[in-house]
Amino acid sequence: MKQKAGAIIIWIILLAIIFIRPWIRRLPELPEITSEIKPWTYWWWMGSAVDTAGIIHQLESFAEAGIGGVHIIPIYGVKGYEENFTPYLSSKWMKMLEYTLNESHRLGLGVDMTTGTGWPFGGPQIDTSLSAKEFNPESTEIGYAMPTWQKVKRAAPGAEGLVIDHFNKDALALYLKRFDSAFNYTDIDVSGLRAMYNDSYEVYGANWTVDFLSEFKRRRGYDLEPYLSILSDTLPDRESTRIWSDYHETIADLIFEKFTMAWDHWAGQSGFITRNQAHGSPGNLLDLYGICDIPETESFGPGEFNIPGLRKDDKFEKESFWIPEPLAMKFASSAAHTQGKKLVSSETATWLADHFKVSLSQVKPQVDQLFVAGINHIFYHGITYSPENENFPGWLFYASTNFGLQSHLWADLPELNSYITRCQSLLQNSRPDQDFLLYFPIHDLWNGSGPDHKVLQLDVHSVDQWLLNSPFGKLAVEMTDAGYVFDYISDKQLFALSVDGKGKIISGNTRYEGIIIPCMNHMPLETLNAIYDLAEKGVKVLFHEQFPITVPGYFEWEQKQEKLEKIMDSLKLLPAVKLFGQKEEIEYFTDLKGEQLAGKGLSFIRKQDKYGIVYFISNFCSEEFNDTVLLNQIFRTVELYDPLNGRRGLLPVIKGKEGEQLCAFTLSPGESVFIRCYRKKRKGPLWRDHHPTDYEIILPEKWELEFHDGYPDIHGYYLVDSLGSWIDAGTDTLLKYYSGYGKYSLDFVLPDTIELNREYVLDMGDVRETAKVWLNGQYIGKAWCIPFRLLIPQGILAPDNHLSIDVRNLSANRIIMLDRSGANWEKFYDINFVHIDYTPFDASEWEPVESGLPGPVKIFLTK
């Protein structure tokens, strides 16, 4: 009997192995890498003075470095190269574009281009009748319209001219005819071009068009002409603010229909998709972003991070620049999410610091901030086409950051490219997992004139004025701090929402638990009707602090007001509607908690894929996170994935006091990771934490320093008694101007008590700016971002050790020497070259910047 019982047990085990084990799946492979998953770059063609040799050299270099594509932007030229200037859209120019497309296809690169040169749209074909207009009550022009006389900014040769009237479809149609003619050359094939691009709206003073009065009357229902004085009145009353609201809404309608929709339609008909920077426009950004295939935001200036050791330019003035604001970036990602668009792009790392002073360690948190805000398609700003034989620093665009082949970033750029590619492989292959929609009350902003009694433009450089200090912005901050994830929704987009059988909103590929209405005054009657329909279908609608008070606009507003009040009386009685004051009431009414990650100081975005939930988590704080966290998910397996090095492993799931599923992990300031929550059981290696413990190996102080592959040539060895900047390492004054590599070498002996067959961490403290490390002849990696740490695998440490750290610095000190010597490298037309404060560039007065290895360098045992 015992033998029989034993046989039965064996058979049961075998059957379990056969039938159960396959259901415990391995961790899935990461998504296949495509060109779109890699970072792309703006690629400025100065004077369009490009040739086939230069194009192929740069494209091959881009591909080898891990860049996925280019965005061609022709701009002004370089002095002394006038004979090489290629007129924009000429036959020769089109052949250079075709060559670029063919070679890019061969190399696996994508190509986009601006629908024009510089910005905004305009050129020689635009005369005053179709150029940008401003309102002038005394103008003798048609319909009180007067030309602004604005010309295309940073135009390329052959594209100079007036900016188009963005509110006039005839202006755009004429402008685009030039492209139709160029693209229809019989011997030119541009089918490999992916996208047309429109830069941020920088049309100065344009607030009118020749048929504005007729358009206004058709759309708003009354004649504006008797009230034109209101547009110049600096003491608005209730009546005039309502007319201002109608004025703004009409302007918004015109740029939506006459420009953005028409341009997007033309591109589609021509075989291209569109990338659009809607910000700055006098319209609802959500609608303008939402029209195009790839909404694009921008990250301009350095973010406000508390990461210890993060570089900051001492010439940067917050008052003069935009501090990148994730809540502003969310306008682009929200439009993509609600419209079901896969890609959301960003102009990335513009003016992080003055020229020649930007480090990769500054770029990474800016990129991480974009990822948290929902961006998943990074475009560097940027790289200038420069001939291969051009002396340092080559051809340069006036706005930093320079990621080009002669920049100090180039040698280490593949590390950043790999990091972004790993991140975007997951971010592009997942869809949003949001809690709520947050209504954007644009009519409150439109109810009155814009700054300086002009048209209101939603500019990302002035978010305090229209976003952060508004009730909408303050509520968005509160919801973010409470751990809720949400998208914005506009009036137009509300009408397209659908509801499932459980009272959840469906929009794009995203499901939302409900809609939240911030404290506001003005809501269109049609919008309130749409909200009523949603609430009647069971969608939870939460009004913050008050219900809408009145309708916007002037025409028959009293009658509309009566209807609004009747609808509101009925709306308040619906069980799905709630008025709330504190953010804690959101959880009480919806039974939906905010993510605990936010309460612990971490920034994150939550998405979902076919396997479960995906979190991207960043620590922008000054302190290390080393704790457990409750995730708002039910999961069988949790994986931590580090995109910095591609390591992945399973996290143990800890049961809380009430049965909650907790995860424990460590995240130092400046670090970011993915946490993936799988619905089904997965098997794989356990996560091995490589953060340092308190166990430290003390290293001796005496280092040897030598220089190589830099300029000017520095010969000989230097003995360094203590680590610091190499500009002070010796008596050679050329060290102050050196840009290149400095190799630090150290021999050290370990005590007999040290366990050699363990994993250790090399912590280099402060690195200026990147470091390649060898230990006992074995390469252990490159440190390029904060924290500057590398893993020492087990078995590499020995009783006697040789440590070699190859540090590369910035090129700022080299440019100091160039400017002090009077070198003529600033030879560009238009704006030529400027500092971060837009004054003419001159580095001769700079003090040499810290370079090398300030340290301290330590070795720690891992956790």
Side-chain angles (χ1 to χ4, degrees):
M1 288 292 292
K2 289 182 179 180
Q3 289 180 339
K4 187 175 182 180
I8 292 173
I9 292 172
I10 291 172
W11 275 107
I12 292 173
I13 292 173
L14 289 172
L15 289 172
I17 292 172
I18 294 171
F19 291 104
I20 298 176
R21 186 175 179 182
W23 293 101
I24 304 177
R25 298 174 173 86
R26 295 184 179 277
L27 292 174
E29 295 294 324
L30 294 171
E32 180 184 356
I33 302 301
T34 65
S35 64
E36 283 186 338
I37 287 176
K38 299 175 183 179
W40 289 33
T41 186
Y42 285 44
W43 193 24
W44 294 291
W45 284 10
M46 303 198 82
S48 296
V50 299
D51 57 35
T52 56
I55 288 173
I56 190 58
H57 170 66
Q58 290 213 324
L59 290 177
E60 288 179 344
S61 299
F62 295 163
E64 184 178 358
I67 290 174
V70 296
H71 166 195
I72 299 171
I73 312 176
I75 56 168
Y76 52 87
V78 182
K79 295 174 184 178
Y81 288 83
E82 290 81 1
E83 291 185 0
N84 301 97
F85 289 178
T86 306
Y88 184 58
L89 296 183
S90 64
S91 175
K92 181 181 177 183
W93 194 95
M94 292 301 299
K95 289 184 183 299
M96 290 298 100
L97 174 62
E98 182 183 44
Y99 181 80
T100 299
L101 292 170
N102 291 338
E103 290 302 307
S104 295
H105 177 74
R106 178 180 66 82
L107 295 167
L109 299 170
V111 181
D112 293 353
M113 67 173 280
T114 299
T115 314
T117 78
W119 61 92
F121 290 3
Q125 70 272 48
I126 303 300
D127 61 20
T128 56
S129 67
L130 295 176
S131 68
K133 301 291 191 298
E134 61 181 337
F135 169 71
N136 187 327
E138 300 178 358
S139 173
T140 58
E141 300 286 331
I142 298 174
Y144 307 101
M146 175 176 285
T148 66
W149 299 104
Q150 181 186 349
K151 294 184 178 180
V152 176
K153 197 173 179 179
R154 320 305 180 213
E160 304 91 340
L162 295 172
V163 169
I164 69 167
D165 180 352
H166 283 67
F167 313 128
N168 185 333
K169 66 178 182 181
D170 293 335
L172 180 66
L174 176 64
Y175 177 73
L176 295 176
K177 278 185 178 180
R178 192 178 182 200
F179 293 87
D180 290 333
S181 298
F183 292 161
N184 288 329
Y185 285 141
T186 56
D187 59 339
I188 298 293
D189 180 10
V190 295
S191 59
L193 192 62
R194 184 188 71 156
M196 283 287 160
Y197 171 80
N198 174 47
D199 211 324
S200 57
Y201 185 87
E202 297 183 34
V203 185
Y204 307 118
N207 58 10
W208 203 255
T209 191
V210 290
D211 62 348
F212 186 85
L213 291 175
S214 60
E215 288 284 358
F216 183 96
K217 186 173 183 179
R218 181 171 68 86
R219 296 165 188 275
R220 306 282 86 85
Y222 66 100
D223 189 355
L224 178 63
E225 194 158 15
Y227 307 99
L228 286 179
S229 61
I230 287 172
L231 299 182
S232 303
D233 186 4
T234 57
L235 297 172
D237 55 18
R238 178 180 294 183
E239 179 182 83
S240 64
T241 57
R242 288 188 174 276
I243 293 173
W244 265 104
S245 179
D246 286 334
Y247 162 78
H248 278 122
E249 189 166 5
T250 303
I251 286 285
D253 287 346
L254 295 178
I255 195 169
F256 179 84
E257 297 172 15
K258 308 291 185 178
F259 176 73
T260 312
M261 280 189 67
W263 170 68
D264 181 73
H265 177 74
W266 167 83
Q269 293 288 97
S270 303
F272 314 123
I273 63 172
T274 49
R275 270 177 47 228
N276 184 37
Q277 288 193 355
H279 44 275
S281 300
N284 193 322
L285 300 189
L286 294 170
D287 297 331
L288 298 172
Y289 279 131
I291 293 173
C292 301
D293 299 287
I294 306 177
E296 177 163 303
T297 188
E298 66 176 85
S299 180
F300 187 108
E304 291 186 306
F305 304 109
N306 294 321
I307 301 169
L310 186 63
R311 316 281 184 261
K312 293 184 180 179
D313 193 307
D314 56 6
K315 292 189 70 173
F316 176 82
E317 296 179 357
K318 180 178 178 180
E319 295 75 20
S320 303
F321 278 77
W322 174 44
I323 299 295
E325 173 51 58
L327 291 179
M329 299 168 185
K330 280 176 67 71
F331 279 85
S333 59
S334 292
H337 294 168
T338 59
Q339 307 302 300
K341 303 176 190 298
K342 178 181 178 180
L343 299 176
V344 196
S345 58
S346 172
E347 171 191 321
T348 305
T350 308
W351 280 124
L352 282 190
D354 216 335
H355 291 279
F356 311 103
K357 289 186 175 181
V358 178
S359 64
L360 288 182
S361 64
Q362 288 174 283
V363 177
K364 181 180 178 292
Q366 304 291 154
V367 169
D368 289 342
Q369 185 182 62
L370 287 162
F371 289 156
V372 167
I375 309 307
N376 61 13
H377 192 19
I378 295 295
F379 278 78
Y380 296 139
H381 190 278
I383 297 176
T384 308
Y385 172 96
S386 187
E388 186 176 1
N389 60 355
E390 186 74 11
N391 291 332
F392 174 85
W395 294 0
L396 295 178
F397 186 57
Y398 76 94
S400 179
T401 302
N402 174 27
F403 290 90
L405 276 65
Q406 292 205 53
S407 75
H408 57 257
L409 300 179
W410 182 256
D412 304 304
L413 192 62
E415 308 296 327
L416 175 61
N417 292 340
S418 295
Y419 173 76
I420 292 174
T421 298
R422 294 187 189 106
C423 290
Q424 292 187 163
S425 70
L426 291 179
L427 294 173
Q428 288 185 15
N429 287 285
S430 54
R431 62 186 187 276
D433 186 62
Q434 308 290 71
D435 297 326
F436 298 108
L437 287 169
L438 179 61
Y439 171 69
F440 179 49
I442 188 69
H443 289 87
D444 272 8
L445 294 175
W446 285 344
N447 192 62
S449 68
D452 300 322
H453 214 71
K454 297 178 180 178
V455 64
L456 177 68
Q457 297 177 219
L458 303 188
D459 186 348
V460 295
H461 301 278
S462 56
V463 292
D464 288 351
Q465 298 175 16
W466 62 270
L467 175 58
L468 296 181
N469 291 327
S470 70
F472 167 82
K474 292 176 180 177
L475 180 58
V477 170
E478 288 186 16
M479 291 178 63
T480 301
D481 291 345
Y484 288 110
V485 286
F486 53 90
D487 287 322
Y488 308 145
I489 192 77
S490 73
D491 296 84
K492 279 186 174 72
Q493 292 164 351
L494 265 172
F495 303 138
L497 299 178
S498 59
V499 181
D500 67 9
K502 298 179 180 179
K504 312 299 181 188
I505 295 173
I506 307 296
S507 184
N509 298 320
T510 311
R511 184 186 306 267
Y512 301 90
E513 293 293 320
I515 183 169
I516 295 179
I517 315 294
C519 179
M520 57 175 295
N521 294 319
H522 302 84
M523 178 175 282
L525 191 61
E526 299 81 4
T527 301
L528 187 62
N529 272 319
I531 290 172
Y532 184 92
D533 290 341
L534 292 173
E536 202 171 34
K537 294 175 182 176
V539 172
K540 293 179 179 177
V541 181
L542 291 82
F543 289 86
H544 186 224
E545 293 185 346
Q546 69 177 41
F547 292 105
I549 296 174
T550 186
V551 294
Y554 182 64
F555 182 66
E556 297 181 349
W557 76 268
E558 294 93 343
Q559 298 94 311
K560 295 176 182 176
Q561 181 69 21
E562 291 179 5
K563 294 179 181 178
L564 180 136
E565 291 173 358
K566 289 180 180 179
I567 297 171
M568 189 59 66
D569 289 341
S570 300
L571 183 69
K572 293 175 183 178
L573 300 176
L574 295 178
V577 175
K578 170 72 175 179
L579 183 69
F580 75 101
Q582 303 298 320
K583 59 181 179 292
E584 290 79 12
E585 297 178 65
I586 298 176
E587 179 185 341
Y588 177 79
F589 184 63
T590 64
D591 198 30
L592 191 64
K593 296 181 179 180
E595 290 281 1
Q596 198 181 86
L597 289 164
K600 292 182 178 287
L602 300 176
S603 301
F604 71 97
I605 186 172
R606 189 180 71 210
K607 305 190 75 178
Q608 58 178 304
D609 60 16
K610 59 184 178 181
Y611 305 109
I613 299 297
V614 179
Y615 292 86
F616 177 76
I617 306 169
S618 295
N619 184 3
F620 300 132
C621 300
S622 60
E623 301 295 328
E624 182 175 86
F625 172 82
N626 183 15
D627 200 356
T628 59
V629 65
L630 171 66
L631 302 175
N632 289 2
Q633 305 299 324
I634 297 175
F635 46 79
R636 301 290 302 279
T637 305
V638 182
E639 175 197 1
L640 191 147
Y641 174 59
D642 186 349
L644 192 64
N645 48 43
R647 289 198 311 116
R648 56 195 303 203
L650 302 182
L651 289 177
V653 179
I654 304 167
K655 291 292 184 181
K657 293 180 180 179
E658 299 181 7
E660 310 102 327
Q661 292 176 303
L662 305 173
C663 296
F665 60 95
T666 303
L667 209 56
S668 295
E671 288 187 320
S672 299
V673 295
F674 285 91
I675 288 184
R676 305 184 69 181
C677 302
Y678 294 98
R679 301 184 188 94
K680 296 181 179 180
K681 190 73 174 176
R682 296 278 171 174
K683 61 181 179 180
L686 294 178
W687 174 254
R688 301 183 68 173
D689 196 313
H690 290 162
H691 287 85
T693 64
D694 293 333
Y695 185 87
E696 177 185 350
I697 298 176
I698 306 297
L699 297 178
E701 289 292 324
K702 291 190 178 295
W703 295 74
E704 190 177 80
L705 173 61
E706 64 175 322
F707 297 93
H708 64 97
D709 296 326
Y711 186 89
D713 287 337
I714 304 292
H715 301 287
Y717 292 86
Y718 296 83
L719 295 178
V720 180
D721 291 331
S722 61
L723 292 173
S725 175
W726 70 44
I727 65 174
D728 302 316
T731 59
D732 190 342
T733 57
L734 288 180
L735 277 174
K736 296 183 182 296
Y737 309 112
Y738 176 77
S739 177
Y741 290 95
K743 178 167 287 188
Y744 292 80
S745 300
L746 177 71
D747 293 312
F748 62 96
V749 178
L750 292 180
D752 295 338
T753 56
I754 299 295
E755 295 183 65
L756 298 179
N757 199 28
R758 296 284 299 273
E759 289 183 332
Y760 290 84
V761 172
L762 177 68
D763 189 319
M764 288 169 279
D766 191 9
V767 174
R768 301 298 176 111
E769 296 297 330
T770 62
K772 296 186 289 184
V773 180
W774 291 262
L775 181 59
N776 297 329
Q778 296 192 47
Y779 180 66
I780 64 171
K782 181 184 290 185
W784 57 273
C785 60
I786 297 172
F788 293 102
R789 296 180 189 145
L790 292 172
L791 175 69
I792 301 175
Q794 62 183 24
I796 291 183
L797 275 176
D800 295 303
N801 299 274
H802 180 75
L803 177 62
S804 177
I805 303 178
D806 213 6
V807 179
R808 181 179 178 86
N809 69 334
L810 302 173
S811 53
N813 294 345
R814 183 175 180 182
I815 211 69
I816 293 173
M817 184 174 68
L818 271 182
D819 277 1
R820 289 181 181 178
S821 68
N824 181 30
W825 63 270
E826 299 173 54
K827 52 188 178 183
F828 314 113
Y829 281 98
D830 201 286
I831 194 173
N832 198 354
F833 209 66
V834 295
H835 284 293
I836 194 170
D837 58 3
Y838 280 72
T839 58
F841 188 90
D842 181 4
S844 63
E845 298 301 318
W846 283 359
E847 292 297 321
V849 301
E850 197 168 0
S851 301
L853 191 59
V857 178
K858 301 178 179 180
I859 294 177
F860 294 93
L861 185 66
T862 62
K863 290 185 178 180

